[in-house]
């Protein structure tokens, strides 16, 4: 990894799903690229807590950039999955109308989808809806079906993108909070809070919620990124209320509404709410909002039970105006804004990578394809996906595959060790990479084992391990 | 992949599993015990406090001592323990049950047995289960996880502690945290009475001057990176009094908000579960809805005392041995929870012999009466000086009291606390 | 004066009533067994508690070689063989936490003899190593 004040062709600020896609795309060219992230690990901001949906391309009209990038991005996921080994499935999306007058909006979604070029989208009768999703409320009057929509684990997607980019030369700098930027000659010097500095010919501002602050630091356009909080419930994989497809209500003018997502890993996610918040780091859940989620979800699938809830959490979306803001700065040179990436940002992100690459090219960056670009990541065998025979064979080679650490999500010691070796050394980083602590006991049984594995693998002391970097230490010392 | 065959197999090597295995082995049956930790003993190993064994051994022991006594017997019996082996699947092939387990030492092993005793214990309810709003900082632990960290690993989870829920593990941890030099600022309980044993209120809270807030709900957890405090709100007549909410600064929250039997394996076997106990429905022989599969201990219903667990497990082992010897149950009568009773287990009784029943009441009452009615006729009316939900009640019913059930085929026994 | 106590001798938790009689004698009622009466007397005069704790485990040779197993024992559980005066507990714990016990240890091994002159010992409660 490059250190100190190295010079790069491009520095990307923010290792969320946008930054990661841009980084990976740029690393397929003969370029020196750095990705800097203020958190301890990648995907620790907006990208860690969202619905994990690859949208169906019907929610927004084609006048929006976000709609065009959504449709293009969605079409890129199959290839990305083949290359990058992250959980993704085209399970399909349904939109449920519970009153006759909602059918008008459904029709509008359908028209929008067709105009956007979405394949396979269909209007559904009540019978068709209940045939697709028998668990839907008997109040269902009809709806929309988009078979191409899907579900994805957003953090695993980001982890794989960054890992692959690193394999192709990316320099990743974490705990790197940008506080200062200076331009001298053809170069930006980008300095972090701890004094580290990098130099770059081009800068991409993919700082999510903090894109406005970063823009100000660079003396570029003034704008405000608003934070919109979305709260979620996660339900046990053994819930009887699990649908086969993503279930949307009919959207309102401000939001796509609260959905029911059969996650790609088998649990069920319900939410999000949409509340404007002042504090961009306010990921607190509230009693009222959580009650709203349960009520709304039960309107669509009445069998959803409070007893199935294993955890709740909140994520923040970054909103500027209605659309994404992806453009070169008109005020300062060699500076690209990638801001206001709200929903459907995850879906659009691969297309954002393409789009930003083109913007950089337009701004004068020379792109020469890397002859030895390797698009693949090394797959991690995961015990829960293996047959007993396959698992047995693996244990003969590495006994750590026989040590089950997380029983709820069936994660072995070998997978934890792999996560640590790939740089995920916080409890949350390991959780997102392996799913350990993500199941019904929420780490009650496995946390102590994970702490001990981190200490053994990294040499860290008990009091140094954090939940997600910074001051989030887990233990206060030893007896 | 190794395949091994036994007469019987026990899933879980804690107190229940060991006791059930000892009984099976005493009846001359070969028995495998599958335990996911590296040693037998289960949760007793982290319960280093005393208070175990008064009924079983007529002595007051610590958890590890209690476990070691059972373990020594297991080691000298014809029992095969598989430690460090986690069961990933149980299949019912009619004649045999096939248990697949995974371990670093042996790889995947398939254990075939004609009878299986489930003794997987329970898990702690967590923050998500009770829906405490707020941020998600480091420093929130279930009490049992904190107990493991302190007593076995020797790590200090935090310095300034608030405990949510007054279950026994929480109370025991209040004392433990105080003894390792931490400050416990409060125990917050949603109910108007404590959930743990009274003696633990005395020796774990009163001794240390730790305030117990009854009828209070934790309505928020604060802190960006690490816990900075909790918001506590009084409850009056079922309503939250937000105007009287207050904040307790702390860096650590321990949750002791109940235990849930761990029945994921049972579910995958298609065993019927009771929504009241979250454990399997069992008949008078502690057999689940899948023939040849028995359940005992905290996987069946959450017990207060390990002594009761061992007693129940011994019976489960013995019934499993009877079943393997070809004994099939006769006529059974149905048991129903009556007034003020949350659950009674087992759900079926054999009127021809002595039956042991466990129940939990829904009320706190002095001078209560345990009333047992068979087909609407009182067959037992027993005084109880004090009852409360946190203290399990056990009693026996024998052939004389159940005589009427032998004649009428659809007999129902109703148990009430009045 | 009538005082209510809850017996902590065993998990049953009898509600005890303690009455002071003339001449400093006390009378106990509500106990289901004789230990309740003894407890009530002690608790009113000089409360005592059984102490449980752990000591650091030392000298463990890991059979797994240089990469230590996660199961390597770190603490040895111990307890007092009987109740000791409450005011002596803090000092006792401090000296116990400073101790390191060399493995192997056997259940019942004496860690500390005659705590505070009470005749009570501190013993290991689990065989390790």
């Amino acid at each position: 990894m490059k250190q100190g004040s190295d010079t790069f062709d491009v520095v990307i600020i923010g290792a969320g799903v946008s930054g990661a896609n841009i980084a990976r795309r740029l690393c397929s060219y003969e370029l020196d690229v750095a990705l800097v992230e203020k958190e301890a690990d990648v995907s620790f901001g907006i990208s860690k807590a969202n619905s994990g949906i690859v949208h169906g391309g019907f929610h927004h009209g084609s006048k929006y950039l976000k709609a065009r990038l959504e449709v293009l991005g969605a079409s890129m996921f199959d290839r990305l999955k083949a290359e990058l080994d992250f959980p993704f499935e085209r399970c399909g999306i349904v939109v449920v109308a519970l009153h006759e007058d909602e059918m008008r909006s459904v029709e509008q979604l359908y028209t929008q989808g067709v105009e956007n070029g979405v394949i396979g989208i269909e209007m559904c009768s009540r019978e068709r809806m209940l045939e697709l999703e028998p668990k839907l409320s008997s109040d269902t009057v009809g709806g929309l079906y988009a078979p191409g929509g899907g579900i994805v684990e957003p953090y695993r997607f980001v982890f794989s993108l960054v890992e692959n980019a690193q394999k192709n030369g990316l320099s990743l700098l974490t705990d790197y909070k940008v506080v200062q930027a200076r331009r001298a000659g053809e170069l930006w010097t980008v300095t972090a809070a701890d004094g580290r500095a990098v130099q770059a010919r081009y800068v991409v501002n993919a700082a999510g919620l903090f894109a406005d602050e970063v823009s100000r630091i660079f003396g570029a356009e003034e704008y405000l990124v608003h934070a919109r909080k979305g709260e979620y419930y996660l339900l046990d994989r053994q819930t009887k209320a699990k649908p086969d497809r993503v279930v949307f209500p009919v959207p309102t003018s401000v939001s796509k509404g609260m959905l029911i997502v059969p996650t790609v890993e088998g649990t069920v996610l319900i939410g999000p709410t949409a509340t404007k918040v002042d504090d961009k780091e306010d990921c607190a859940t509230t009693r009222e909002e959580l009650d709203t989620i349960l009520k709304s979800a039960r309107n669509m699938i009445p069998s959803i039970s409070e007893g199935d809830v294993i955890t709740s959490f909140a994520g923040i979306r970054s909103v500027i105006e209605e659309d994404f803001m992806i453009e070169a700065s008109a005020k300062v040179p060699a500076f690209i804004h990638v801001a206001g990436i709200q929903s459907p940002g995850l879906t659009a992100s691969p297309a954002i990578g393409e789009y930003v690459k083109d913007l950089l090219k337009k701004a004068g960056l020379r792109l020469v394809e890397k002859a030895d670009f390797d698009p693949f990541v090394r797959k991690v065998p995961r015990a829960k996906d293996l047959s007993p025979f396959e698992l047995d064979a693996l244990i003969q080679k590495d006994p750590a595959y026989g040590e089950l650490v997380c029983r709820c999500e069936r994660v072995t010691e070998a997978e934890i060790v792999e996560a640590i070796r790939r740089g995920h050394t916080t409890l949350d980083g390991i959780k997102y990479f392996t799913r350990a602590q993500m199941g019904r006991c929420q780490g009650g049984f496995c946390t102590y084992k994970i702490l001990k594995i981190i200490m053994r693998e990294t040499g860290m002391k008990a009091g140094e391990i954090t939940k997600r970097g910074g001051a989030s230490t887990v233990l206060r010392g030893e007896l | 992949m190794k395949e091994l065959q036994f007469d019987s197999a026990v899933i879980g090597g804690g107190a229940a599993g060991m006791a059930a295995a000892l009984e099976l082995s005493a009846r001359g049956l070969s028995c495998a015990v599958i335990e996911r930790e590296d040693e037998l003993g289960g949760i007793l190993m982290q319960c280093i406090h005393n208070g175990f064994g008064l009924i079983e051994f007529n002595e007051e022991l610590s958890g590890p001592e209690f476990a070691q006594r059972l373990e020594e017997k297991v080691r000298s019996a014809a029992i095969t323990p598989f430690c460090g082996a986690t069961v990933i699947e149980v299949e019912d092939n009619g004649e045999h049950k096939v248990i697949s387990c995974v371990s670093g030492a042996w790889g995947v092993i398939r254990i075939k047995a004609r009878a299986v005793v489930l003794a997987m214990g329970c898990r702690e309810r967590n923050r998500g289960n009770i829906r405490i709003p707020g941020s998600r900082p480091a420093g929130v632990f279930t009490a049992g996880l904190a107990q493991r960290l302190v007593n076995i690993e020797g790590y200090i989870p935090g310095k300034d502690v608030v405990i949510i829920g007054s279950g026994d593990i929480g109370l025991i941890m209040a004392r433990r945290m105080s003894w390792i030099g931490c400050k416990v600022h409060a125990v917050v309980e949603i109910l108007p009475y404590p959930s743990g044993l009274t003696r633990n209120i005395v020796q774990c809270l009163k001794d240390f001057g730790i305030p117990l807030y009854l009828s209070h709900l934790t309505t928020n957890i604060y802190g960006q990176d690490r816990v900075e405090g909790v918001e506590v709100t009084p409850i009056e007549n079922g309503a939250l009094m937000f105007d009287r909410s207050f904040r307790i600064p702390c860096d650590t929250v321990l949750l002791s908000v109940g235990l849930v039997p761990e029945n994921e394996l049972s579910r995958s076997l298609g065993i019927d579960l009771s929504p009241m106990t979250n454990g399997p429905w069992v008949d008078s022989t502690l057999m689940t809805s899948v023939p040849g599969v028995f359940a005992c201990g905290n996987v069946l219903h959450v017990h207060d005392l390990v002594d009761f667990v061992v007693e129940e497990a011994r019976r489960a082992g013995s019934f499993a041995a009877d079943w393997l010897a070809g004994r099939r149950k006769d006529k059974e009568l149905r048991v129903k929870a009556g007034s003020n009773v949350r659950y009674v287990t087992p759900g079926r009784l054999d009127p021809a012999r002595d039956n042991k029943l466990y129940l939990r009441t829904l009320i706190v009452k002095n001078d209560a009466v345990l009333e047992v009615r068979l087909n609407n006729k009182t067959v037992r009316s027993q005084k109880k000086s004090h009852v409360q939900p946190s203290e399990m009640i056990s009693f026996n019913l024998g052939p004389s009291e159940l005589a009427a059930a032998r004649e009428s085929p659809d007999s129902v026994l109703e148990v009430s606390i009045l | 004066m009538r005082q209510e106590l809850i017996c902590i001798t065993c998990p049953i938790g009898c509600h005890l009533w303690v009455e002071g009689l003339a001449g400093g004698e006390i009378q106990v009622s509500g106990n289901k067994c004789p230990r309740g009466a003894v407890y009530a007397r002690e608790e009113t005069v000089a409360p005592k508690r059984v102490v449980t704790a752990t000591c650091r485990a030392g000298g463990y040779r890991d059979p797994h070689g240089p990469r230590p197993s996660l199961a390597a024992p770190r603490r040895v559980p111990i307890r007092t063989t009987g109740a000791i005066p409450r005011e002596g507990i803090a000092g006792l714990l401090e000296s116990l936490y400073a101790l390191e016990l060399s493995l192997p240890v056997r259940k019942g091994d004496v860690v500390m003899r005659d705590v505070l002159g009470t005749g009570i010992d501190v013993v290991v409660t689990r065989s390790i190593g």
Side-chain angles (χ1 to χ4, degrees):
Chain A
M1 185 187 290
K2 301 200 179 190
Q3 290 286 333
S5 73
D6 276 313
T7 303
F8 294 93
D9 295 305
V10 185
V11 164
I12 302 153
I13 300 168
V17 75
S18 301
N21 269 288
I22 297 163
R24 182 184 186 246
R25 191 70 190 94
L26 295 179
C27 285
S28 68
Y29 298 99
E30 295 289 353
L31 296 170
D32 284 328
V33 184
L35 177 61
V36 302
E37 167 57 49
K38 76 174 171 62
E39 299 293 329
D41 204 340
V42 305
S43 197
F44 267 27
I46 304 170
S47 300
K48 76 170 177 219
N50 53 68
S51 308
I53 301 285
V54 170
H55 283 282
F58 53 81
H59 271 111
H60 310 284
S62 56
K63 67 171 176 171
Y64 294 109
L65 174 63
K66 65 181 179 184
R68 303 195 298 275
L69 294 178
E70 174 188 343
V71 175
L72 177 61
S75 72
M76 296 165 75
F77 270 85
D78 305 273
R79 179 165 171 191
L80 286 167
K81 180 192 173 171
E83 292 172 346
L84 297 176
D85 183 36
F86 61 91
F88 163 67
E89 206 182 299
R90 288 203 191 273
C91 61
I93 291 174
V94 293
V95 179
V96 187
L98 297 172
H99 305 285
E100 273 307 331
D101 45 351
E102 286 186 340
M103 284 308 283
R104 257 191 303 270
S105 311
V106 170
E107 208 179 320
Q108 198 192 330
L109 294 177
Y110 173 78
T111 315
Q112 243 165 223
V114 171
E115 276 172 11
N116 290 343
V118 177
I119 298 161
I121 193 167
E122 60 174 286
M123 291 275 291
C124 300
S125 65
R126 170 189 155 85
E127 285 66 33
R128 173 76 171 133
M129 287 298 285
L130 291 173
E131 179 191 284
L132 286 167
E133 286 300 335
K135 286 166 187 152
L136 287 178
S137 161
S138 54
D139 291 342
T140 302
V141 295
L144 184 78
Y145 175 40
I151 43 182
V152 61
E153 275 211 329
Y155 27 83
R156 282 279 303 282
F157 180 38
V158 178
F159 286 177
S160 285
L161 285 162
V162 174
E163 189 186 320
N164 179 250
Q166 284 179 286
K167 197 176 183 185
N168 290 290
L170 175 78
S171 296
L172 172 68
L173 301 170
T174 50
D175 289 312
Y176 196 106
K177 185 178 188 219
V178 173
V179 291
Q180 197 189 61
R182 278 217 198 98
R183 188 157 176 93
E186 292 292 294
L187 286 180
W188 284 107
T189 301
V190 184
T191 310
D194 61 3
R196 282 178 290 172
V198 290
Q199 294 192 310
R201 293 166 53 219
Y202 293 87
V203 171
V204 177
N205 172 14
L209 285 162
F210 305 93
D212 48 358
E213 289 175 32
V214 168
S215 184
R216 217 167 300 133
I217 289 170
F218 278 80
E221 284 77 359
E222 292 277 333
Y223 50 87
L224 273 181
V225 174
H226 303 285
R228 196 188 286 155
K229 179 159 82 176
E231 299 184 27
Y232 292 93
Y233 271 133
L234 189 67
L235 310 184
D236 195 309
R237 60 178 67 244
Q238 288 187 343
T239 175
K240 293 189 177 76
K242 185 175 162 185
D244 291 325
R245 295 162 190 79
V246 180
V247 179
F248 275 81
V250 172
T252 64
S253 56
V254 285
S255 104
K256 296 191 177 87
M258 283 177 255
L259 29 151
I260 303 166
V261 185
T263 71
V264 67
E265 291 288 4
T267 49
V268 174
L269 194 62
I270 57 177
T273 54
T275 325
K276 235 181 188 179
V277 286
D278 297 330
D279 180 355
K280 290 176 180 176
E281 285 175 282
D282 172 13
C283 281
T285 51
T286 57
R287 190 162 292 274
E288 305 74 33
E289 296 286 298
L290 289 176
D291 285 340
T292 320
I293 297 174
L294 272 180
K295 224 181 273 163
S296 157
R298 282 197 194 119
N299 281 341
M300 298 189 289
I301 298 185
S303 55
I304 283 176
S305 153
E306 201 175 328
D308 289 330
V309 173
I310 53 179
T311 190
S312 55
F313 61 89
I316 312 276
R317 336 252 156 277
S318 66
V319 182
I320 296 180
E321 269 167 24
E322 265 186 282
D323 208 350
F324 295 166
M325 179 181 139
I326 308 178
E327 60 201 33
S329 170
K331 219 171 146 190
V332 296
F335 186 81
I336 313 279
H337 299 281
V338 181
I341 310 297
Q342 52 170 305
S343 177
L346 173 61
T347 313
S349 63
I352 292 175
E354 286 296 322
Y355 195 80
V356 171
K357 174 217 49 168
D358 291 337
L359 286 178
L360 285 164
K361 189 177 172 188
K362 215 185 280 173
L365 182 68
R366 222 178 79 109
L367 300 176
V368 178
E369 275 183 33
K370 210 177 259 173
D372 58 351
F373 175 70
D374 176 357
F376 297 98
V377 295
R378 186 166 51 86
K379 287 193 179 183
V380 189
R382 293 180 187 256
K384 71 172 174 48
D385 301 329
L386 301 177
S387 73
F389 288 96
E390 292 167 321
L391 185 56
D392 190 50
L394 204 53
I395 297 168
Q396 306 311 325
K397 276 189 268 172
D398 181 359
Y401 270 104
E403 305 293 342
L404 215 60
V405 172
C406 166
R407 61 176 86 156
C408 305
E409 296 293 311
R410 201 178 288 180
V411 181
T412 63
E413 186 181 331
E415 292 156 73
I416 309 275
V417 170
E418 188 64 44
I420 294 168
R421 293 192 180 152
R422 293 186 190 209
H424 309 296
T425 55
T426 63
L427 281 184
D428 277 0
I430 288 169
K431 174 166 83 178
Y432 297 137
F433 188 82
T434 65
R435 296 191 62 77
Q437 320 158 64
M438 220 180 254
R440 62 183 67 89
C441 90
Q442 289 285 298
F445 285 117
C446 63
T447 302
Y448 79 88
K449 288 186 182 169
I450 299 173
L451 291 168
K452 289 174 78 172
I453 298 171
I454 297 174
M455 285 185 246
R456 184 189 67 196
E457 296 296 317
T458 65
M460 283 162 101
K461 293 263 175 291
E464 294 169 357
I465 302 173
T466 64
K467 180 167 156 60
R468 49 164 175 265
S472 65
T473 48
V474 179
L475 300 171
R476 289 294 199 230
E478 288 188 46
L479 269 179
Chain B
M1 208 157 63
K2 269 201 192 74
E3 204 167 282
L4 299 158
Q5 193 161 340
F6 294 86
D7 296 323
S8 61
V10 178
I11 304 180
M18 288 196 281
L22 282 168
E23 200 61 29
L24 283 157
S25 137
R27 300 276 293 268
L29 298 160
S30 67
C31 180
V33 175
I34 307 153
E35 166 57 42
R36 61 192 149 215
E37 294 297 325
D38 290 314
E39 57 202 352
L40 296 171
I43 215 69
L44 282 171
M45 303 311 268
Q46 68 184 51
C47 299
I48 63 165
H49 56 281
N50 60 319
F52 305 93
L54 273 161
I55 301 168
E56 184 62 24
F57 297 112
N58 203 21
E59 243 183 282
E60 190 160 4
L61 303 172
S62 71
E65 288 170 308
F66 191 105
Q68 195 166 332
R69 287 207 183 183
L70 288 177
E71 189 192 346
E72 280 160 8
K73 290 187 194 167
V74 166
R75 298 281 174 195
S76 58
I79 295 171
T80 314
F82 294 89
C83 289
T86 307
V87 176
I88 52 174
E89 198 177 57
V90 187
E91 291 161 273
D92 181 10
N93 291 354
E95 177 76 2
H96 282 105
K97 321 288 177 255
V98 184
I99 302 168
S100 301
C101 47
V102 47
S103 100
W106 306 294
V108 180
I109 340 172
R110 285 157 60 88
I111 292 172
K112 285 170 86 174
R114 286 192 293 132
V116 171
V117 179
L118 305 176
M120 292 90 76
C122 53
R123 69 164 176 272
E124 298 180 275
R125 297 216 300 154
N126 55 47
R127 179 176 176 184
N129 299 141
I130 58 164
R131 307 204 287 134
I132 306 172
S135 57
R136 326 210 78 71
V140 181
F141 303 86
T142 56
L145 170 59
Q147 188 177 48
R148 167 93 206 189
L149 288 168
V150 174
N151 292 348
I152 297 192
E153 313 299 341
Y155 299 128
I156 301 169
K159 297 285 191 191
D160 290 282
V161 185
V162 168
I163 296 174
I164 300 177
S166 59
D168 283 311
I169 314 170
L171 299 176
I172 293 290
M173 281 312 289
R175 176 177 61 186
R176 180 62 58 205
M177 296 304 280
S178 306
W179 273 350
I180 64 168
C182 304
K183 173 90 185 148
V184 180
H185 295 273
V187 173
V188 182
E189 170 61 53
I190 183 172
L191 296 171
Y193 48 84
S195 306
L197 297 173
T198 317
R199 79 170 198 151
N200 287 335
I201 301 288
V202 177
Q203 60 183 359
C204 299
L205 300 188
K206 289 201 174 135
D207 273 9
F208 300 92
I210 298 169
L212 170 62
Y213 294 99
L214 296 173
S215 297
H216 279 70
L217 184 66
T218 308
T219 40
N220 216 330
I221 294 178
Y222 301 100
Q224 193 60 46
D225 290 322
R226 175 84 193 190
V227 172
E228 287 161 22
V230 295
E231 178 194 68
V232 175
T233 305
I235 303 171
E236 263 179 31
N237 305 320
L240 285 162
M241 302 283 118
F242 280 108
D243 54 325
R244 287 195 275 127
S245 295
F246 55 98
R247 208 161 155 156
I248 308 174
C250 59
D251 69 0
T252 302
V253 173
L254 301 189
L255 299 171
S256 173
V257 290
L259 302 167
V260 193
E262 271 236 303
N263 275 293
E264 281 61 45
L265 284 176
S266 323
R267 240 178 241 146
S268 72
L269 248 175
I271 286 173
D272 295 335
L273 300 180
S274 148
M276 287 320 296
T277 58
N278 290 306
W281 286 109
V282 287
D283 66 13
S284 66
T285 67
L286 302 179
M287 189 163 83
T288 67
S289 61
V290 174
V293 178
F294 298 77
C296 59
N298 283 349
V299 82
L300 180 55
H301 60 122
V302 176
H303 297 59
D304 303 342
L305 299 180
V306 69
D307 300 78
F308 293 155
V309 165
V310 166
E311 182 280 322
E312 186 177 84
R314 211 181 275 127
R315 280 188 294 122
S318 170
F319 287 131
D322 289 347
W323 190 83
L324 284 173
R327 190 178 138 175
R328 293 296 176 265
K329 67 192 170 206
D330 227 10
K331 197 181 294 166
E332 287 191 323
L333 65 127
R334 196 161 68 83
V335 184
K336 204 172 117 187
S339 303
N340 302 320
V341 172
R342 195 154 84 91
Y343 71 79
V344 198
T345 186
R348 294 275 189 278
L349 297 182
D350 179 350
R353 59 165 175 78
D354 236 0
N355 293 271
K356 178 120 191 168
L357 294 95
Y358 286 111
L359 76 84
R360 268 187 207 280
T361 174
L362 289 160
I363 55 168
V364 181
K365 194 175 177 187
N366 287 321
D367 304 315
V369 175
L370 165 73
E371 181 155 282
V372 183
R373 292 165 70 83
L374 179 58
N375 298 332
N376 290 322
K377 255 190 154 143
T378 304
V379 293
R380 166 87 66 94
S381 187
Q382 187 182 338
K383 279 203 175 112
K384 290 266 153 199
S385 57
H386 180 79
V387 297
Q388 63 187 63
S390 61
E391 293 188 8
M392 199 162 78
I393 296 165
S394 70
F395 59 101
N396 289 295
L397 286 175
S400 57
E401 286 152 306
L402 301 175
R406 280 195 257 182
E407 279 87 63
S408 56
D410 293 316
S411 293
V412 177
L413 186 97
E414 190 177 85
V415 183
S416 301
I417 294 288
L418 304 170
Chain C
M1 228 200 63
R2 201 161 177 238
Q3 193 192 345
E4 190 184 5
L5 281 181
I6 292 155
C7 183
I8 62 168
T9 311
C10 84
I12 293 169
C14 292
H15 290 248
L16 307 177
W17 293 101
V18 184
E19 253 169 303
L21 301 178
E25 271 298 291
I26 59 167
Q27 190 186 324
V28 181
S29 56
N31 51 316
K32 291 198 179 87
C33 81
R35 288 180 306 170
V38 175
Y39 168 77
R41 278 194 192 94
E42 277 183 4
E43 191 69 8
T44 16
V45 182
K48 289 180 176 177
R49 297 288 182 263
V50 170
V51 176
T52 59
T54 59
C55 290
R56 189 173 300 120
Y60 177 73
R61 272 212 209 92
D62 203 309
H64 297 78
R67 196 161 173 236
S69 147
L70 295 180
R74 297 172 46 85
R75 308 293 300 181
V76 177
I78 52 173
R79 70 172 170 99
T80 57
T81 52
I84 65 158
R86 232 167 59 180
E87 65 270 16
I89 294 176
L92 173 65
L93 285 170
E94 201 174 321
S95 46
L96 290 174
Y97 287 133
L99 279 182
E100 180 171 300
L101 303 181
S102 259
L103 301 182
V105 290
R106 300 264 76 85
K107 188 176 86 172
D109 286 357
V110 177
V111 176
M112 198 183 280
R113 254 180 225 293
D114 192 17
V115 175
L116 302 165
T118 54
I120 303 282
D121 298 336
V122 176
V123 294
V124 168
T125 60
R126 177 185 159 199
S127 303
I128 303 176

